Amino acid sequence: MSAIPSWRAGFELEVILGDLGEPRFERELRKHGPMDQASSTFCQAFAAKLRERTGRSWSAPSRSPQRPGFYVVPEYGLDPLNWPEDRLAGVELLTPPLPLDDAEIVRTELFEAIYEIDGDFNFFADEHTANCGWHINIDAGDGFRLDPDRFILGVDELLLLANNDRLFSRYTALQRHAVGVPLLRHLAHDPTGKFLLGSALGNLLEAHAGCDKGYAANFAKLLKGYVELRHFSAESFFNGPQVTEQLERILAAFEVWPAHSHPLEQAFRRKFLLLSRWLARARAKLAWNLTQGLVAAEGRVHFDGEPLGHLMANGLVELNLFGHGEYEYIATIRDTVLSDIPEAVALLALDLAEFYNLGIRQRASSNTSFQRAVLQLAAQLRKDPGLSSSAQLDELAHAEKLRREMHPQFYATAGT
């Protein structure tokens, strides 16, 4: 394994564009309205404008690109139904993997070009651009492993997603939701966690890491040598700090050497031991039911005899916790099974408790008994300062300091 990573980042940026200042597209918009799917002609026209302004080889391939490059492609996930009258098409801009300084240069080129071509529509978060994402694909060069357990132990995804307004979407599940169910089931039989010492915890996390596009960190892409990060909003592309700053915590977590990971492992283990005890007290208060539907079974989860959330089961189960408003959901977990509903509820309780401790304004559960249990969990978490997001960040900084002190020659060679 290489000691020093050579970080690179490639972008996938979703934007909603107008007529590009061209009469043919202005007529298209006036006559037919927005495109359900950006046409090849539209993508080619936008690529040409990007080439002109950036000097890079932007193109619009008619088929899915087979190799990295600068591409404009249709974005299928943006619904034009309620777009403003001046919006015509949604596209995705793809870049090849680039060293981080070069990636920042390309980012600057892009937002300047988009402003010149289309104005500032995509620069501000609103009900239309909120669905636009900025995916960052990272790799660390030949020989450096991107271990899922390093990410899971060292990245506060909840804070990262909350800061980007990307929580609980269909494509940004927490890695903690993937590994938390098997971990809680393990702790039900190992209440002190003594069988999670040494390499055991890391092995469990790697075995159950989320490996599909439903997770904000998509580790399925490791088969291609990189990790896809879906935590970032398009608004953070246009208005956020530099790429290195936005990625800082993630890269620091991946760089932790196994010899320095013990404090992070211990904090993670203590947090789940605490959550396991919370679930042991709450389990008897949980009940749920399902009724057969035309497409999928639906039902409710109850806590202490009162409705807590909505269930939808179609092989796998999706659980949405009720807020106070009609059809208001405050937290979601997907891809669990019926027998693991108690563990799923516990993981959402942990999310809500940590929201509270982070000072992030979050809507409360309409189930007062459950809300009280969440606040009790939050209070228990605060009793151990080592479980906080800031403590985790301090441990990442300490691990980097130790690494540099122990092997200064590596960093002198790397010029960092």
Side-chain angles (χ1 to χ4, degrees), residues 8-38:
R8 301 188 304 173
F11 301 155
E12 302 172 23
L13 175 68
E14 299 165 354
V15 291
I16 301 171
L17 300 171
D19 61 24
L20 306 183
E22 296 198 10
R24 55 177 170 161
F25 296 130
E26 190 275 331
R27 290 192 297 270
E28 168 88 9
L29 179 58
R30 188 174 64 251
K31 186 174 181 180
H32 300 292
M35 300 175 180
D36 290 329
Q37 175 185 327

Side-chain angles (χ1 to χ4, degrees), residues 306-308 321-325 328 330 364-371:
E306 297 295 327
L308 175 64
L321 298 188
F322 296 132
H324 285 276
E328 176 187 78
I330 61 169
S365 170
S366 59
N367 185 308
T368 55
S369 180
F370 179 75
Q371 184 65 21

Side-chain angles (χ1 to χ4, degrees), residues 43 78 133 139 197 216 411:
C43 292
L78 297 174
D139 71 80
L197 300 175
Y411 293 93

Side-chain angles (χ1 to χ4, degrees), residues 32-320:
H32 300 292
M35 300 175 180
D36 290 329
Q37 175 185 327
S39 66
S40 296
T41 303
F42 184 87
C43 292
Q44 290 164 5
F46 189 55
K49 290 179 181 293
L50 290 178
R51 283 198 304 274
E52 178 185 339
R53 285 163 175 79
T54 67
R56 299 188 188 271
S57 55
W58 286 95
S59 65
S62 57
R63 298 180 181 179
S64 179
Q66 299 302 306
R67 63 183 64 182
F70 294 95
Y71 301 120
V72 179
V73 298
E75 171 48 50
Y76 307 100
L78 297 174
D79 186 356
L81 186 61
N82 295 307
W83 284 357
E85 292 182 357
D86 66 341
R87 297 293 97 188
L88 178 58
V91 300
E92 186 173 39
L93 309 179
L94 311 179
T95 77
L98 300 163
L100 296 186
D101 288 344
D102 293 344
E104 183 62 32
I105 292 171
V106 168
R107 176 188 173 210
T108 301
E109 291 174 353
L110 272 178
F111 67 64
E112 288 179 350
I114 290 170
Y115 182 81
E116 290 175 10
I117 297 166
D118 189 65
D120 63 1
F121 177 85
N122 288 281
F123 285 65
F124 301 101
D126 59 25
E127 61 179 317
H128 310 293
T129 60
N131 292 322
C132 294
W134 173 30
H135 304 167
I136 306 178
N137 303 316
I138 60 168
D139 71 80
D142 294 338
F144 192 94
R145 285 192 58 196
L146 300 179
D147 294 320
D149 63 317
R150 298 278 81 79
F151 177 94
I152 295 167
L153 293 171
V155 178
D156 186 346
E157 284 194 281
L158 196 72
L159 179 61
L160 189 57
L161 289 166
N163 285 342
N164 282 276
D165 197 23
R166 304 285 285 169
L167 270 169
F168 303 127
S169 84
R170 188 162 295 279
Y171 304 106
T172 59
L174 300 166
Q175 281 294 323
R176 192 164 70 187
H177 288 181
V179 302
V181 169
L183 183 52
L184 287 170
R185 292 181 71 84
H186 171 96
L187 292 172
H189 303 282
D190 176 22
T192 63
K194 65 181 179 181
F195 298 118
L196 291 175
L197 300 175
S199 61
L201 177 59
N203 289 339
L204 187 151
L205 298 181
E206 290 220 19
H208 295 283
C211 292
D212 61 58
K213 66 180 183 180
Y215 292 93
N218 180 6
F219 286 109
K221 300 296 184 177
L222 280 178
L223 296 174
K224 297 182 178 180
Y226 65 92
V227 175
E228 180 186 26
L229 302 172
R230 296 166 166 262
H231 304 80
F232 305 97
S233 62
E235 196 272 340
S236 67
F237 176 91
F238 291 106
N239 302 307
Q242 289 196 345
V243 171
T244 50
E245 186 175 341
Q246 299 203 52
L247 291 175
E248 182 178 21
R249 193 165 191 153
I250 293 172
L251 306 187
F254 276 127
E255 290 182 13
V256 173
W257 288 1
H260 304 152
S261 66
H262 183 68
L264 293 168
E265 293 171 358
Q266 287 292 88
F268 191 86
R269 180 170 161 269
R270 292 201 309 274
K271 183 177 293 186
F272 268 86
L273 285 171
L274 191 156
L275 184 62
S276 180
R277 292 192 290 270
W278 181 94
L279 177 57
R281 296 189 298 271
R283 192 180 292 271
K285 298 181 179 182
L286 284 164
W288 58 92
N289 59 66
L290 284 173
T291 57
Q292 189 172 358
L294 292 176
V295 178
E298 293 189 72
R300 286 189 171 187
V301 175
H302 291 76
F303 187 87
D304 209 13
E306 297 295 327
L308 175 64
H310 173 262
L311 287 175
M312 185 170 65
N314 188 13
L316 295 174
V317 174
E318 177 179 310
L319 167 60
N320 296 286

